[in-house]
Amino acid sequence: WGMAVRERRNWLLYTLLARGDWEACDEVVDAVLAETGGVAEFALNTKGLLKRRVGEVQESLRLLHSATCLAPKRVENLRHVGRSLLLLGRHKAALDVFQEAEQLAPHDAGIHSDRGLCYFHMQDYEQAERSFAASLDIQPCELTYVLLVECHIMLHRPDKGRRMCALGLKAFPEHPDLLLLFALLQFQESDWEQARASLDAALKQDPGSAQVQFALGALHQATGDVDTAIMRYRQAAVSLSHSAAVWSNLGLLFLQKRNLITAISCLERAVLLQPLDKSIHYNLGIAFLHSERYVSAAHHFKVATNLDPLCVEGYTLMGVSLCRMGDTENGYRAYDCSLRIHKTALCELNYATSLYNQEETARSREHFERFHVLFDKMSPKEKEECSDLSELSHVLASLLQV
């Protein structure tokens, strides 16, 4: 009779949950728990899910654990406890719960997927891959395909990632996240046409996706369509206003267009969002260098080299900035640091130019000769990419009369 009292309104709770009538469901749950003295399993489970829905995850965990104590062998209760632990970042504890649930229901695809999610957050991508694959063997699921592809990406297996994406798209041809991942994998292979087709399909399925807009911006940036890339990044920035990558890429594009004020503004915002990113500081230093704001340029090149002590270009351009602001002693030290790490034609040419500007002609010739030795060893493609070096070297050669 006691069991009948505790369960007599379960049908009503099921109905209200299915309808999404959360307030009414909460009222019925409270009434059942008051009637039964808090020992109604399904009511406790439902109350836990309602608490988790509004963000009270710790309270949700307490209620779900109470429900599990009343029915320790019920798989659904264990799964909900594990998911609350997962939301709290307690991945190892969640994994233990999911493994206990798996022993009770070894052929439950959801449990394998949840276990894989724990491994994924613990950065054990090999184990995560096995769990997601086991889940898909039991039952195909869009999210599990997405997570499995991300595992292959993290494990640097792009070929397996592409194959898994193709399998996922065969089962779910219109899933926007799978289309986006497939496009990114094609992007890595410089298959612009296929990447663009996948992104257009993803955008068709989810027109408001900021991630797809960002990926389209990156695609246009890679193919040299600067104006279209800027347009796409601006659209993405509406939803991804706190993404350092969006502002950093916008800054690079404006720098490419020589719109220095806007480039600096975008890159400064990126630095605020991600202050420990060496590349952003380096690019901001270049923007300041082009703007002839040498103190600011030297500062950001210094930060870049602090974050990455092997940043050869950072030391080189720090030397350029310091020499142009009149601090030649520290400028030469920066050049020397760059050359100790790795000798580059860029550093030798800039070193020679700075020495010539200080009327140290003999030392300038020495570094200019070293530049030529390094420049002659460069491949034709590298020389083509550094055409400005060739032009500057001709000017310096005429001034040094060599």
Side-chain angles (χ1 to χ4, degrees):
W1 173 254
M3 181 67 72
V5 171
R6 290 196 293 271
E7 294 184 353
R8 66 191 177 88
R9 281 193 275 187
N10 284 3
W11 68 271
L12 181 56
L13 292 175
Y14 271 117
T15 304
L16 293 171
L17 281 173
R19 289 178 180 172
D21 193 345
W22 314 119
E23 291 184 10
C25 187
D26 201 26
E27 290 174 5
V28 175
V29 166
D30 288 340
V32 172
L33 291 174
E35 276 181 21
T36 61
V39 291
E41 178 210 339
F42 186 71
L44 284 168
N45 195 307
T46 304
K47 186 72 172 178
L49 295 179
L50 291 171
K51 288 291 185 182
R52 191 166 73 192
R53 181 181 170 275
V54 296
E56 297 180 32
V57 184
Q58 191 65 55
E59 178 63 12
S60 161
L61 179 61
R62 187 188 69 79
L63 291 162
L64 292 168
H65 189 265
S66 298
T68 304
C69 289
L70 293 172
K73 299 298 182 181
R74 198 181 297 278
V75 173
E76 200 63 28
N77 291 346
L78 288 169
R79 179 185 293 168
H80 287 315
V81 169
R83 287 177 178 173
S84 288
L85 287 167
L86 194 57
L87 287 171
L88 289 168
R90 296 168 60 183
H91 304 126
K92 183 66 173 66
L95 184 60
D96 292 340
V97 173
F98 289 133
Q99 287 176 336
E100 183 181 347
E102 185 187 351
Q103 291 176 359
L104 298 171
H107 301 295
D108 189 311
I111 294 173
H112 286 285
S113 182
D114 288 335
R115 192 182 63 176
L117 200 55
C118 291
Y119 284 123
F120 189 88
H121 286 297
M122 293 164 67
Q123 298 183 3
D124 187 347
Y125 301 115
E126 293 278 3
Q127 288 286 2
E129 178 199 354
R130 295 189 189 100
S131 296
F132 292 138
S135 176
L136 289 172
D137 286 341
I138 299 167
Q139 182 179 350
C141 172
E142 305 99 310
L143 180 59
T144 307
Y145 272 116
V146 169
L147 290 167
L148 183 53
V149 173
E150 289 182 355
C151 283
H152 288 307
I153 292 172
M154 299 306 294
L155 290 167
H156 307 290
R157 300 171 180 168
D159 292 337
K160 285 189 175 181
R162 278 190 292 274
R163 286 199 296 271
M164 192 53 59
C165 252
L167 285 173
L169 287 170
K170 189 174 180 180
F172 307 100
E174 297 180 346
H175 194 273
D177 290 341
L178 280 171
L179 287 165
L180 176 58
L181 282 173
F182 192 59
L184 294 178
L185 288 165
Q186 295 297 332
F187 187 94
Q188 291 178 2
E189 292 293 306
S190 301
D191 188 348
W192 314 122
E193 187 175 341
Q194 183 61 54
R196 178 60 187 269
S198 297
L199 288 172
D200 286 342
L203 196 62
K204 185 177 179 181
Q205 297 303 318
D206 187 3
S209 172
Q211 295 292 346
V212 176
Q213 293 287 0
F214 178 83
L216 281 167
L219 177 65
H220 290 296
Q221 184 176 6
T223 54
D225 190 349
V226 175
D227 292 328
T228 306
I230 288 173
M231 180 194 72
R232 293 294 187 182
Y233 283 136
R234 278 176 164 166
Q235 290 173 341
V238 175
S239 299
L240 301 176
S241 58
H242 296 294
S243 168
V246 171
W247 296 107
S248 177
N249 288 356
L250 271 171
L252 285 175
L253 290 167
F254 283 118
L255 183 59
Q256 191 174 337
K257 289 173 70 72
R258 289 295 187 266
N259 187 340
L260 298 177
I261 294 174
T262 308
I264 289 170
S265 177
C266 291
L267 288 166
E268 283 182 331
R269 186 161 184 174
V271 163
L272 289 173
L273 293 167
Q274 201 161 327
L276 300 181
D277 190 305
K278 178 242 340 184
S279 300
I280 299 174
H281 283 284
Y282 176 78
N283 291 328
L284 185 52
I286 291 176
F288 279 126
L289 186 60
H290 282 298
S291 302
E292 300 182 5
R293 295 166 62 179
Y294 302 124
V295 175
S296 296
H299 165 72
H300 285 285
F301 289 132
K302 177 63 176 172
V303 174
T305 54
N306 285 342
L307 292 169
D308 180 7
L310 299 179
C311 181
V312 175
E313 295 84 357
Y315 285 111
T316 298
L317 296 182
M318 191 198 309
V320 173
S321 303
L322 290 166
C323 287
R324 290 189 183 178
M325 60 190 275
D327 189 357
T328 53
E329 182 180 353
N330 285 315
Y332 296 161
R333 285 177 181 170
Y335 286 134
D336 290 334
C337 282
S338 176
L339 292 172
R340 276 198 298 272
I341 297 167
H342 182 63
K343 292 178 172 59
T344 63
L346 174 68
C347 185
E348 292 288 8
L349 183 58
N350 279 290
Y351 205 161
T353 303
S354 296
L355 288 165
Y356 177 81
N357 290 335
Q358 296 301 312
E359 299 182 356
E360 297 186 46
T361 309
R363 289 183 64 197
S364 177
R365 284 199 181 96
E366 288 177 14
H367 284 282
F368 188 68
E369 288 172 4
R370 293 172 191 167
F371 157 75
H372 265 299
V373 172
L374 294 168
F375 189 75
D376 290 341
K377 291 179 180 178
M378 292 169 66
S379 67
K381 184 179 180 181
E382 289 174 327
K383 289 180 180 178
E384 185 179 347
E385 291 173 353
C386 301
S387 57
D388 52 337
L389 285 185
S390 181
E391 294 173 9
L392 181 58
S393 69
H394 289 314
V395 173
L396 188 58
S398 63
L399 293 171
L400 292 172
Q401 298 179 351
V402 293

